[in-house]
Amino acid sequence: MKIISNPLELKQYVKNKTRDSLGEQKSIGFVPTMGALHEGHISLIKKAKEQNDIVVVSIFVNPTQFLAGEDLDTYPKKDEADKKICEFSGVDVVFFPRAEDIYSEDEVSLLAPKVRGYVLEGTSRPGHFNGVLTVVMKLLHIVSPTRAYFGKKDAQQLHLIMLMVQQFFMDVEIVPVDTLRESDGLALSSRNVYLSPSQREEALKLSASLHLAHKMLRQNIFDANIITHKMRECLKPLEVEYVVVLNRDFELIEKVEIGNSVILVEAIVGKTRLLDNIWL
Ligand code: PAF
């Protein structure tokens, strides 16, 4: 496995690798991460390996997607363990840049859409998605992958990246990957390490509320108001940021449409912002 930190070196490496000796084009699967890799990331890597000839993983804690006062300085870092996980998982190249390899002083940057980038997570984290889209755009240009893999847990991020790829006519397939959960239902997240044992118990209310929504759907209750009201009761006493039912275009809907809906919840446990959702 190769570890590269220079973007131009990676670009050259990928260029050389993607043509075999017969000039045949090889596919590249790309998994962008901020490190502190867990089983969720490993499932993205596995999918990338199944579907591509070469797999590139980036590990970069992107400063521009953190707002002032957020956890940039304390974001979990496990560089050596992450490299080992990549090696065991059969990754071909780890892209491991420093901030100065990616950003300079006077930057061109992308703006998230004025509506869909500033609702839900964007309400409490205004500007967060500008940073996400800018870095993902840069990474996609550096790696030039055939396919890039993103978890469905960060549903709004995934939606905005798909929108960016479509609106900028980019030549990459974005592959959404299902959320992995602990056996008790907690969605895997690098930020789960912030939770104390009692907060971890509290955090289970997120998946429990989604489980309840699922149960209501099985009882033919499709009304979004009724479902979100019951979910909010289940989430008590957590500080709930939002509970919403959206269609796959990320618009609020009044009735769940099976095959075209996603129910999202965000709540704060201790100081940790947790997201979860189900795709229906
Ligand atoms: O989901 C993440 O880990 C990050 O937001 C991403 C997509 C790697 C961009 O920094």
Side-chain angles (χ1 to χ4, degrees):
M1 184 180 79
K2 219 169 155 52
I3 298 174
I4 298 180
S5 58
N6 183 306
L8 297 178
E9 189 185 334
L10 180 59
K11 258 179 111 70
Q12 195 54 49
Y13 179 87
V14 168
K15 216 178 212 166
N16 295 342
K17 278 277 172 190
T18 43
R19 290 223 175 264
D20 64 16
S21 49
L22 299 169
E24 194 83 1
Q25 186 71 35
K26 289 190 179 175
S27 58
I28 303 175
F30 176 44
V31 181
T33 81
M34 297 210 299
L37 303 183
H38 51 64
E39 287 294 332
H41 296 111
I42 297 174
S43 78
L44 300 180
I45 296 172
K46 271 194 189 138
K47 190 126 202 186
K49 274 202 73 74
E50 275 163 31
Q51 298 183 335
N52 301 278
D53 301 313
I54 298 167
V55 173
V56 180
V57 171
S58 64
I59 298 178
F60 179 57
V61 181
N62 172 37
T64 64
Q65 69 189 74
F66 289 79
L67 272 64
E70 288 191 343
D71 56 343
L72 173 61
D73 295 335
T74 54
Y75 193 82
K77 251 189 166 318
K78 297 186 181 164
D79 297 348
E80 290 317 306
D82 287 348
K83 285 177 199 162
K84 283 205 180 96
I85 289 174
C86 288
E87 182 125 48
F88 290 145
S89 311
V91 169
D92 298 280
V93 187
V94 175
F95 180 44
F96 200 68
R98 299 161 305 165
E100 53 269 41
D101 295 314
I102 298 292
Y103 293 110
S104 51
E105 280 283 296
D106 193 19
E107 276 277 314
V108 175
S109 59
L110 272 175
L111 296 178
K114 285 194 205 76
V115 178
R116 281 176 277 186
Y118 288 86
V119 291
L120 307 173
E121 221 193 330
T123 309
S124 44
R125 307 183 74 191
H128 163 69
F129 289 114
N130 297 342
V132 171
L133 294 179
T134 300
V135 81
V136 171
M137 176 68 99
K138 284 182 183 246
L139 293 169
L140 291 176
H141 278 297
I142 295 165
V143 180
S144 301
T146 319
R147 301 178 187 86
Y149 296 78
F150 294 88
K152 287 185 180 174
K153 189 175 80 65
D154 294 306
Q156 190 174 7
Q157 165 174 288
L158 171 62
H159 176 73
L160 293 175
I161 290 169
M162 287 177 128
L163 208 59
M164 173 180 84
V165 163
Q166 183 198 346
Q167 293 182 349
F168 281 77
F169 305 99
M170 293 167 75
D171 213 2
V172 54
E173 182 189 342
I174 301 298
V175 184
V177 181
D178 288 340
T179 302
L180 280 200
R181 298 179 181 280
E182 305 273 9
S183 55
D184 57 8
L186 184 69
L188 295 191
S189 161
S190 302
R191 288 192 168 101
N192 287 351
V193 296
Y194 295 150
L195 301 171
S196 68
S198 64
Q199 288 170 345
R200 201 189 166 290
E201 277 297 307
E202 290 274 273
L204 293 177
K205 289 190 190 312
L206 276 88
S207 52
S209 72
L210 291 167
H211 193 73
L212 176 65
H214 218 244
K215 198 166 147 201
M216 293 173 80
L217 293 170
R218 283 202 304 271
Q219 293 164 349
N220 292 327
I221 301 170
F222 295 100
D223 186 291
N225 269 332
I226 299 177
I227 292 172
T228 54
H229 178 76
K230 287 279 178 208
M231 285 178 69
R232 280 181 179 273
E233 278 181 6
C234 174
L235 287 158
K236 277 182 186 158
L238 295 185
E239 188 184 329
V240 177
E241 291 276 351
Y242 56 80
V243 182
V244 287
V245 181
L246 306 178
N247 63 20
R248 298 283 169 86
D249 289 325
F250 249 65
E251 296 155 339
L252 281 170
I253 48 175
E254 286 173 10
K255 275 197 185 321
V256 172
E257 302 155 23
I258 300 298
N260 183 31
S261 301
V262 50
I263 304 181
L264 297 100
V265 51
E266 178 176 328
I268 297 175
V269 181
K271 284 189 176 153
T272 310
R273 192 177 290 283
L274 294 176
L275 305 173
D276 204 348
N277 57 58
I278 39 171
W279 293 55
L280 301 159

